[in-house]
Amino acid sequence: MQPEGEDRGRGGRRRFRLPRSASLRFSLGYGVLFALSSILFMSFIWWGTIGFLERQVETAINADARALSQRWAEGGLPTLALTIDDRLEQNLDDDAIYLMVGPTGNRLAGNLSEWPAQVVRTDQWYSLKVTRAGMRDTAEVRAFALPGGFRLLVGRDVRARAVLRRLLTDSLLWAWMMVTLLAISGAVLVHGMFRRMIKSIAQTSSAIARGDLSRRMPLVGNGDELDQVAEAINEMLDRIVRLMDGVRQVSNAIAHDLRTPITRARTQLEDAALHAGSAAELRLAIERAVGNLDNVTAVFEALLRIAQIEAGSRRSAFAPFDLVPLLTDIGDLYEAVAEEKQIRLALRLPSCLPFYGDKALMQQAVANLLDNAIKFSPAGGTVTLAAATGPALPGLTMLAPGASAVSIAVTDEGIGMDEADLARASERFFRAEAARHTPGAGLGLSLVQAIVQLHGGVLRLRAQQPGLSVRMILPVARQAQPQARAAAPIPIPPAPRAQHPAVVTETSQSPHERDR
Amino acid sequence: MHILVVEDDPTVRNFVAKGLREAGHLVEPVDNGKDGLFLAVSENFDLIILDRMLPGGIDGLRLLETIRAQNNSTPVLLLSALADVDDRVQGLKAGGDDYLTKPFAFSELLARVEALSRRGRSDNVPQTRLVVADLEVDLLSRTVRRGGQRIDLQPREFRLLEYLMRHAGQVVTRTMLLEGVWDYHFDPQTNVIDVHVSRLRQKVDKPFDTPLIHTIRNAGYMLRAE
C-alpha cells in the first residue's frame, strides 16, 4: 500500500497522471464511459418516471380544483360541500384529500379533521404528513381561496408514489451496479485483448532493441491491420539488417583494403629509416610507400565518387549525346590493352544511339566494365561490347510512356561468377573469392551500379558458360531532352562542402566585394 | 620561369617551391589570397599556381576572377583538394588554364607547369608542321615521316604522336595524355596509356636507330631528340 500512496501523492502534485499502459488507459476509458453513460441513462429514466407521476398528481389536483370552483360558482357553499362528499364516496383508491373550511377555520366538508398549520399560501404546493382516519400519510396538497373567506384544500395521498419511487430507485441502482460490473469486466477483457495484441510487437521490438536482429513480428495470417503493421515492421527490419550487413562489410573491407596499403607504406618507410644503407635504397623504399599511398587515395576517391553519384548530385551534367562515338572511343582505348593480352575485343554497335545522360560518367562505367572483362579474360578469349536499343523494361524509373531503353552489354569468357556472388557483385568492396588475388578494390561494379541508378536504369549480371555478361539497361528519357539542352552547358555550382562551407558560398555570392 | 605559388599549407607550399626551384624556376611563395593578389597584379609572372581554398578573405577563385577581369592572361594552374567534376568545371570557367587535384605527384605538377608555359608561347602561330629531329608530322595532310620514310598511323596514334610532338622536350604524364588525347577525366585502373604509347613506339622508334619517345620513370613520357 505504501508505495502506491506515495505514487498517488506524486501524481497529485502533477494534477493528474494517466497509467503508463496504453491498454489500461484504453480499457479504463471504455469502462468509465460505459458506467457514466449508464448512470446518465438511468437517471433519465428515474427522473422521467418520478416526474411523470408528480406531474400527474398536480394535474389531477388542478383539474379537481377547477371543477370544484365551478361548483361553487354554480351553487355556492352547499353544492360544493355536496360535491366534495360525492367525490370522497366515489374515490375507490381512497387517495383523495379534500377540506373546506369557513372563515373561522371551522370544518365544512372533507376528510381531514383540521386545516394543516403550515399551509398558508395558495400559490404553492405542499408536501406534508396528514392524519386521516387514524393513519398518517404523505400527501401532496394545494390550498385555494374561495370568496367570503372560505378556503379549500385539495390533495392526493402519495404513499403509493413513494413506494413506487423507492422500488424504482432500488431496481435502477441494482441495474446500474450490474451494468458497472459488466463495464469493468468488459474493460478487463478489452485490456487483455489489447495487451495480447501489443505484447508480441512490444516483445519483439524490445528484443530487437537489445540487439537481437533476427527476431520478427509474428503474423496471425488473416491480413488484418495488426498483420499489416507486423509485415511493415518485418520489412523494415529486413532492410535494416541488409544495411547493417552492408555497413559491416564496408567497414571490414575499408579496414582491410585501406589498412593494407597504409601498413605497407608505413612498414616500408620505417624499415628504410632504420635499415637503409644507401640513398638509393632509401629512395626506392620511399617510392614504394608513395605508390601504396596513391592506392589509398584511389580507393578513397572511388568511394567518394560512388557516394556522390548515389546522392544524385551529378544530374547537373546531363545532356543529350550519341552513345556510338563514345563506345567506339572506349573500344579503341581498350583494344590495345586487349590485344596485348591476346584477347579479341569485338564491338557490335548500331550506327547511332541517341542518349540522354552524363557523358563522363557513361565513359567511366563502360571503361570499368571493359577493364573488368579484360582483367578476367584468359588469353585467346573474346570480350564483346554490344549496344542496342530495345523496348523499355518494366522497373525502369525516369521513363516516359512509350520510351525505349538502351542496353549496353559487356561479355567476357573469363572465370565468371557463381550465382551467390552474382547477387552481391555490385556491393561495395565485394570481391568474389576467385578474384581475390587480382588487383583492384572491388569498387568498379559498385561505381557502375551507382552510375546506372543515377540514369534510372538497371544493371543485370548473368553467368555465361564460360564467363560473365554485364548489361546496363538505361532508359532513353526523350521528354527530358529539350529542357536539358538548355540546362546542360551551365554547370550548377557545387553544393557547399561540409569541410569548407563558408569559403565556397562566399565565393559564389560576391566575387569582387573585397577587391574594390 | 617566374612562378607565383599561392598555397596556404606550408608543407605543400615548401614542397612545390623547392621542387620548382630545383627545376630551374624562380619561385615566389605566398601563403594567403590577399598577398597573392597583390603580387599577381603588381609583378609580371609567367605562371601562377593557385590553391582554391585560401585564408585571408580572398580565395583562389576570387583571385583568379579578379586578375582575369583586369585582362591579366598569365596562365593559372589551379591546385585544389576539391576534385569533383563540377569543381573542375567551375575552376576552369573562372579562367583557370589547368586543374590539378590534391594529392598530387610533383612530377605531374611539373609536367603540367611546363606544358602551360609552352602553350602560352606557341598558341599565337597556327602550326601546320611539327618537327623533332628527323621526325616530321604534317598536320594538314596528316602524314608522318621519319628520315624521309613514311609511317602509317591509326587516327588515334596520330593524335597521340601529335600531342607528344606539341609537348616535345617536356614530360607528359599519363593523366595529361588521357585528358588531352582521349578527353577522359578519370583514372582507368589498367595501364591503357602505356599500351598505346608502346604501340606508337613500335612504329615510330623500333625501325630506327635512335629512340625519340622516352619513358620518364614515375612520371610519364617525353618526346625529344637524343
Side-chain angles (χ1 to χ4, degrees), chain A residues 243-300:
Chain A
L243 287 175
M244 297 269 289
D245 281 350
V247 167
R248 198 160 32 236
Q249 267 164 18
V250 168
S251 42
N252 285 345
I254 287 178
H256 182 264
D257 282 62
L258 287 182
R259 208 175 261 169
T260 310
I262 291 173
T263 311
R264 273 199 214 123
R266 200 192 177 287
T267 316
Q268 281 154 353
L269 289 174
E270 195 173 3
D271 184 49
L274 293 174
H275 306 114
S278 68
E281 258 181 71
L282 198 62
R283 186 157 294 136
L284 186 70
I286 290 172
E287 272 169 17
R288 281 204 194 120
V290 168
N292 276 313
L293 289 177
D294 283 349
N295 269 346
V296 175
T297 315
V299 171
F300 256 124

Side-chain angles (χ1 to χ4, degrees), chain A residues 129-208:
Chain A
K129 299 267 182 228
V130 288
T131 313
R132 184 162 58 102
M135 281 172 68
R136 279 181 71 80
D137 282 319
T138 310
E140 193 93 344
V141 299
R142 192 168 175 184
F144 297 93
L146 295 173
F150 291 91
R151 284 182 295 168
L152 176 66
L153 188 96
V154 184
R156 284 288 184 280
D157 186 346
V158 291
R159 182 187 42 180
R161 199 187 75 185
V163 171
L164 187 70
R165 186 162 147 167
R166 201 165 48 244
L167 201 74
L168 189 67
T169 311
D170 279 1
S171 54
L172 282 184
L173 263 176
W174 278 111
W176 184 75
M177 271 164 68
M178 293 299 290
V179 164
T180 307
L181 217 67
L182 278 175
I184 289 169
S185 49
V188 169
L189 208 74
V190 166
H191 175 57
M193 270 164 62
F194 202 84
R195 220 174 46 177
R196 257 202 314 286
M197 292 193 305
I198 299 298
K199 203 171 154 192
S200 65
I201 295 178
Q203 270 178 348
T204 314
S205 31
S206 68
I208 288 159

Side-chain angles (χ1 to χ4, degrees), chain A residues 180-456:
Chain A
T180 307
L181 217 67
L182 278 175
I184 289 169
S185 49
V188 169
L189 208 74
V190 166
H191 175 57
M193 270 164 62
F194 202 84
R195 220 174 46 177
R196 257 202 314 286
M197 292 193 305
I198 299 298
K199 203 171 154 192
S200 65
I201 295 178
Q203 270 178 348
T204 314
S205 31
S206 68
I208 288 159
R210 281 196 302 272
D212 180 7
L213 279 174
S214 61
R215 290 282 289 269
R216 289 294 177 272
M217 297 291 162
L219 292 178
V220 182
N222 54 6
D224 64 359
E225 290 89 340
L226 279 171
D227 262 18
Q228 284 168 18
V229 168
E231 261 169 40
I233 292 174
N234 286 346
E235 249 167 56
M236 182 185 78
L237 287 172
D238 287 344
R239 176 143 177 75
I240 289 174
V241 168
R242 274 202 305 278
L243 287 175
M244 297 269 289
D245 281 350
V247 167
R248 198 160 32 236
Q249 267 164 18
V250 168
S251 42
N252 285 345
I254 287 178
H256 182 264
D257 282 62
L258 287 182
R259 208 175 261 169
T260 310
I262 291 173
T263 311
R264 273 199 214 123
R266 200 192 177 287
T267 316
Q268 281 154 353
L269 289 174
E270 195 173 3
D271 184 49
L274 293 174
H275 306 114
S278 68
E281 258 181 71
L282 198 62
R283 186 157 294 136
L284 186 70
I286 290 172
E287 272 169 17
R288 281 204 194 120
V290 168
N292 276 313
L293 289 177
D294 283 349
N295 269 346
V296 175
T297 315
V299 171
F300 256 124
E301 257 162 27
L303 274 177
L304 286 176
R305 199 159 166 75
I306 294 169
Q308 189 199 5
I309 294 167
E310 280 182 348
S313 62
R314 287 279 301 140
R315 212 161 276 172
S316 58
F318 271 36
F321 64 93
D322 188 357
L323 269 172
V324 172
L326 182 142
L327 295 174
T328 320
D329 265 13
I330 299 173
D332 177 68
L333 181 68
Y334 276 92
E335 199 180 3
V337 187
E339 227 165 73
E340 186 112 310
K341 285 188 72 186
Q342 286 160 1
I343 296 163
R344 209 171 70 84
L345 179 62
L347 262 63
R348 285 212 297 269
L349 305 172
S351 58
C352 164
L353 269 178
F355 186 68
Y356 172 75
D358 186 323
K359 202 170 174 176
L361 288 181
M362 288 308 295
Q363 279 177 340
Q364 189 163 5
V366 177
N368 269 341
L369 292 182
L370 278 180
D371 216 277
N372 265 339
I374 291 170
K375 196 154 72 183
F376 292 116
S377 270
T382 304
V383 169
T384 316
L385 171 63
T389 35
L393 288 176
L396 295 183
T397 52
M398 238 179 71
L399 203 56
S404 56
V406 168
S407 123
I408 303 169
V410 174
T411 316
D412 66 49
E413 294 174 351
I415 49 174
M417 272 180 164
D418 59 40
E419 287 298 321
D421 288 345
L422 277 181
R424 302 183 51 205
S426 56
E427 278 174 21
R428 232 159 283 185
F429 284 116
F430 173 76
R431 309 194 65 196
E433 208 45 54
R436 248 320 128 200
H437 303 292
T438 49
L443 290 172
L445 264 187
S446 1
L447 185 63
V448 176
Q449 168 88 32
I451 291 169
V452 167
Q453 263 170 13
L454 182 74
H455 286 83

Side-chain angles (χ1 to χ4, degrees), chain B residues 88-102:
Chain B
R88 298 171 71 110
V89 171
Q90 200 187 22
L92 295 176
K93 275 181 84 80
D97 297 280
D98 202 355
Y99 200 105
L100 184 60
T101 54
K102 294 176 184 174

Side-chain angles (χ1 to χ4, degrees), chain B residues 78-91:
Chain B
L78 285 161
L79 184 63
S80 175
L82 300 175
D84 295 350
V85 179
D86 289 342
D87 293 328
R88 298 171 71 110
V89 171
Q90 200 187 22

